[in-house]
Amino acid sequence: EIFETTIINYDTVASMLLEQSFLNAGIRIILQDLRGENEGDTAVEPRCDEFYYEGGIRSYVEQLNSQKHANLLHDEIIYVAGEKDGSYAEIALQYNDSYNEVLMSFANNIRTVEGGTHETGFKNALTKAINDYGLKMKILKSSDQKLSGEDVREGLTAIVSVKLPEAQFEGQVKSKLGNTYM
């Protein structure tokens, strides 16, 4: 009575559940479509997909990089996680030889397509860490101009996921995290 159509697109649901299985390491999600009836003019065949990634966001980075035609610059995916005052953050990243940056951020398992404080904090921390390392290892000289954030993220594939007890999103569709702590 409320919706004009109640036909659910299996691929849309499968895509969302795939993402959730990456964000929640070790959780097995099974999607079954047993409708077996007509969806418009197309018959719906029963389908079943299982999503399970023990590696969590590390597996997500691995999958994203496998879809590119680029060589990895280091074999192991860099992974860090931490918890403070009931908030949890985890980051997985890996560089490849492409020029493209793939950075996806999530807050409480919700994709924040417009980023937010967690994504900004990650970008700033990564840029600072690489510049500090370059100075310490004498790859960069103190008189040199520091690397920009765009330079540091070239060829980067990264997932940033935070879980907050009181997430504050900007906008109605929760596309940007607005929390100022973590």
Side-chain angles (χ1 to χ4, degrees):
E1 292 177 18
I2 296 172
F3 299 104
E4 291 179 17
T5 180
T6 57
I7 299 171
I8 297 171
N9 183 300
Y10 184 91
D11 293 330
T12 300
V13 175
S15 176
M16 292 170 52
L17 293 177
L18 173 67
E19 196 170 79
Q20 292 302 309
S21 68
F22 283 123
L23 294 170
N24 299 283
I27 291 180
R28 186 175 316 276
I29 301 172
I30 299 171
L31 173 63
Q32 289 185 310
D33 186 349
L34 302 175
R35 291 177 285 188
E37 55 190 55
N38 288 335
E39 184 175 319
D41 294 332
T42 308
V44 176
E45 294 292 323
R47 288 175 70 178
C48 181
D49 286 301
E50 183 175 313
F51 307 102
Y52 175 79
Y53 294 95
E54 188 66 39
I57 64 172
R58 286 175 282 225
S59 297
Y60 205 173
V61 168
E62 185 178 343
Q63 187 216 38
L64 291 170
N65 276 332
S66 73
Q67 296 171 350
K68 294 181 177 185
H69 300 291
N71 298 311
L72 299 176
L73 298 182
H74 50 97
D75 291 332
E76 286 193 41
I77 293 169
I78 298 167
Y79 176 80
V80 293
E83 186 174 357
K84 182 179 178 185
D85 300 329
S87 297
Y88 180 76
E90 64 177 337
I91 299 166
L93 62 98
Q94 188 173 41
Y95 281 94
N96 59 65
D97 65 359
S98 76
Y99 295 104
N100 299 329
E101 168 192 344
V102 176
L103 173 57
M104 299 171 65
S105 61
F106 299 86
N108 294 356
N109 288 350
I110 298 169
R111 175 102 187 264
T112 49
V113 293
E114 293 181 24
T117 54
H118 59 318
E119 187 174 309
T120 301
F122 166 73
K123 289 177 179 180
N124 291 341
L126 180 65
T127 302
K128 182 178 179 349
I130 290 180
N131 277 312
D132 288 351
Y133 180 82
L135 289 170
K136 180 180 178 182
M137 300 306 292
K138 297 184 175 37
I139 298 167
L140 298 173
K141 295 182 177 84
S142 58
S143 61
D144 288 345
Q145 185 175 2
K146 292 183 178 180
L147 296 172
S148 71
E150 292 81 19
D151 292 334
V152 167
R153 293 189 310 273
E154 187 174 294
L156 174 70
T157 301
I159 305 293
V160 176
S161 177
V162 297
K163 296 192 169 89
L164 308 169
E166 295 182 33
Q168 298 169 2
F169 293 96
E170 295 178 15
Q172 191 170 0
V173 293
K174 298 182 178 182
S175 60
K176 186 174 182 180
L177 182 67
N179 289 61
T180 58
Y181 68 91
M182 177 69 182

